[in-house]
Amino acid sequence: MDYFLTEEQQMIVEVAQQITDEKIIPCRAELDEKEEFPRDILDQIGQADLAGLYIDEEYGGYGGGCFDMVLALEQFARGCVGIATSFAANGLGAYPIILSGSEELKNHYLPLIASGEKYAAFALTEANAGSDASGIQTTAVLDGDEWVLNGTKQWITNGGEANIYSVIAMTDPHKGARGATMFVVEDSDPGFSYGHKEKKLGIRASSTRELIFKDCRIPAGRLIGRRGGGFITVMKTLDHSRPGIAILGVGLAQGALDEAVVYAKQRVQFGKPIISFQAVQHLLADMAIETEAARALVYAAARHIDAHPKQMSKASSMCKVFATDVAMKVTTNAVQVLGGYGYMRDYPVEKMMRDAKILQIYEGTNQIQRNVIGQELNKEYNR
Ligand code: COS
């Protein structure tokens, strides 16, 4: 379908498409198998000037918005969601600085992320704080002109690979959500180390690792925003990043549909290509309808977010739920179309199905998204 992209947007798609076809697809199975971080590919994305798509020009970025980012991510995810996640996690790590950081922090860190020279990560989750984002136990205490962090973050995407970490910690625990503050921690900071690296069902090219803060000392100026403003910064960051997860679902579903149609045209059973059977055609038709509907919703949500950045929670959660549920269904059906071959590692669809599951879980489960949508509806109808 024609989404009436501008010339610049079409160019973003073409550059991302080329990286996907020439670089990502040829090595995705190997990186998945070896659970290897896609450093070369991220560097190539940086060299193609796509690393700072969503960062303002004054900080060395392209100056685009959510929609521009979505267009690039869709292509990368068509190739591999593990690689696309590693790229997207830079944005998640950068957004707290973009949204709440001081000019000093922005001037220092954003150009490094925009050029692709440094990778970023976002550290919220802990053993006892997942959906309940305000339940974090990592602490930060001011000591002279330094903050001292103690605690452990878990399941951090780009953990161990990123250089710049946006970390939330409790500065005033008795204040609950209002007592949380965000900081920038650098990989070389004293008292900061990496813990367990997870072995995952899918997105195995992405790194998911513990971060350990043991009397980790950082300069006072690394505080993002204001003391006590961390929870709101986290919520706003997730509002910005969830359309990115949604579009990973669209790209993944498109990749699975492509594989299923090509296979169905080639595979002969009962003397005919299986695409000539109505049972297979209906499966493919539903996959195509759902993928296009998800794309249309994500594009609409991303354009809405760029135009109305203060009213984004509902649009962001709606597209995240819909597109990631579609990705799970479409990839599962792609395996069904390929049958026994689909279950084997010789074809990419089993990986696609494994990769799809996390999209319904990370950056807020789809159950949490429905809570957000419900709460927003409640507010809207009170006006
Ligand atoms: N933008 C701005 N402010 C927001 C906000 C948003 N999107 N969402 C909440 N807030 C504000 C609220 O207005 C409230 O402010 P006041 O204290 O002034 O009233 C404050 O934040 C607390 O909000 P709330 O009471 O709704 O917080 P809850 O603890 O009930 O949590 C959910 C709300 C469940 C939505 C939140 O914890 C969440 O998003 N959880 C999922 C986290 C997640 O995605 N984890 C995955 C790992 S991160 S990769």
Side-chain angles (χ1 to χ4, degrees):
M1 278 190 197
D2 188 349
Y3 289 97
F4 304 100
L5 302 185
T6 63
E7 254 177 58
E8 287 84 6
Q9 290 162 347
Q10 195 53 47
M11 218 167 69
I12 292 171
V13 173
E14 281 164 21
V15 174
Q17 219 163 27
Q18 195 180 354
I19 294 175
T20 302
D21 292 336
E22 292 177 8
K23 310 286 180 197
I24 295 180
I25 291 178
C27 69
R28 64 185 173 191
E30 188 185 344
L31 293 181
D32 178 70
E33 182 74 29
K34 292 184 177 164
E35 305 188 18
E36 194 177 307
F37 188 74
R39 196 162 278 276
D40 285 353
I41 292 170
L42 295 194
D43 288 348
Q44 278 157 14
I45 292 173
Q47 283 155 21
D49 284 338
L50 294 182
L53 267 180
Y54 54 95
I55 293 176
D56 279 355
E57 282 172 287
E58 61 177 308
Y59 306 114
Y62 171 82
C66 184
F67 189 51
D68 301 285
M69 181 66 172
V70 149
L71 292 174
L73 278 176
E74 178 180 358
Q75 293 305 317
F76 299 147
R78 179 173 59 80
C80 174
V81 172
I83 295 170
T85 292
S86 308
F87 172 63
N90 288 314
L92 190 58
Y95 260 112
I97 303 172
I98 295 172
L99 295 172
S100 306
S102 63
E103 273 310 303
E104 203 183 334
L105 289 182
K106 286 182 185 173
N107 281 321
H108 183 68
Y109 291 108
L110 296 181
L112 297 170
I113 299 169
S115 64
E117 194 183 328
K118 303 271 183 195
Y119 304 146
F122 174 75
L124 163 66
T125 304
E126 298 180 6
N128 296 314
S131 293
D132 181 5
S134 63
I136 52 164
Q137 290 167 341
T138 294
T139 56
V141 175
L142 192 59
D143 180 25
D145 56 1
E146 287 181 330
W147 287 95
V148 184
L149 275 69
N150 277 289
T152 301
K153 296 287 176 183
Q154 147 175 306
W155 301 339
I156 304 307
T157 306
N158 283 1
E161 305 290 345
N163 319 94
I164 301 162
Y165 293 83
S166 291
V167 179
I168 185 162
M170 280 295 179
T171 43
D172 303 275
H174 59 283
K175 292 188 182 168
R178 293 279 172 192
T181 305
M182 290 209 84
F183 301 92
V184 178
V185 176
E186 293 186 15
D187 52 349
S188 55
D189 283 329
F192 176 40
S193 62
Y194 304 120
H196 178 65
K197 186 176 174 198
E198 303 295 339
K199 296 187 84 64
K200 307 190 292 292
L201 172 74
I203 59 160
R204 293 162 53 153
S206 84
S207 170
T208 309
R209 198 151 178 190
E210 265 180 353
L211 310 182
I212 300 168
F213 305 98
K214 210 167 171 192
D215 291 330
C216 169
R217 302 187 83 88
I218 59 169
R222 298 256 204 91
L223 186 149
I224 303 175
R226 58 175 179 80
R227 182 171 180 157
F231 187 76
I232 304 285
T233 298
V234 162
M235 290 295 114
K236 287 185 179 165
T237 296
L238 291 169
D239 280 347
H240 277 84
S241 69
R242 283 171 182 154
I245 302 304
I247 203 69
L248 296 188
V250 174
L252 175 58
Q254 185 64 53
L257 174 64
D258 294 346
E259 292 293 333
V261 175
V262 167
Y263 179 87
K265 284 168 75 78
Q266 287 167 356
R267 172 72 168 165
V268 174
Q269 290 287 274
F270 306 103
K272 293 186 213 165
I274 62 169
I275 199 164
S276 58
F277 297 113
Q278 197 180 50
V280 173
Q281 282 180 11
H282 283 191
L283 262 181
L284 295 172
D286 283 341
M287 290 160 70
I289 295 165
E290 286 158 358
T291 303
E292 202 60 60
R295 178 178 292 115
L297 178 59
V298 182
Y299 282 13
R303 285 173 153 150
H304 167 86
I305 286 165
D306 284 337
H308 307 281
K310 292 206 167 126
Q311 301 161 21
M312 59 191 302
S313 296
K314 191 175 77 170
S316 174
S317 291
M318 281 168 82
C319 70
K320 199 269 185 186
V321 168
F322 189 77
T324 61
D325 283 351
V326 161
M328 192 70 248
K329 200 167 158 200
V330 168
T331 54
T332 305
N333 281 338
V335 172
Q336 193 67 23
V337 171
L338 272 76
Y341 287 108
Y343 200 72
M344 305 302 158
R345 292 204 183 172
D346 304 334
Y347 285 86
V349 289
E350 61 82 28
K351 170 186 176 306
M352 291 174 168
M353 185 177 145
R354 289 189 282 108
D355 286 351
K357 189 64 211 168
I358 192 63
L359 299 176
Q360 296 176 304
I361 299 171
Y362 68 3
E363 292 198 29
T365 64
N366 284 5
Q367 287 70 28
I368 287 289
Q369 306 312 314
R370 289 179 168 94
N371 286 357
V372 172
I373 297 162
Q375 281 159 12
E376 291 295 316
L377 286 172
N378 193 11
K379 279 190 226 160
E380 274 174 29
Y381 283 78
N382 271 344
R383 270 184 218 141

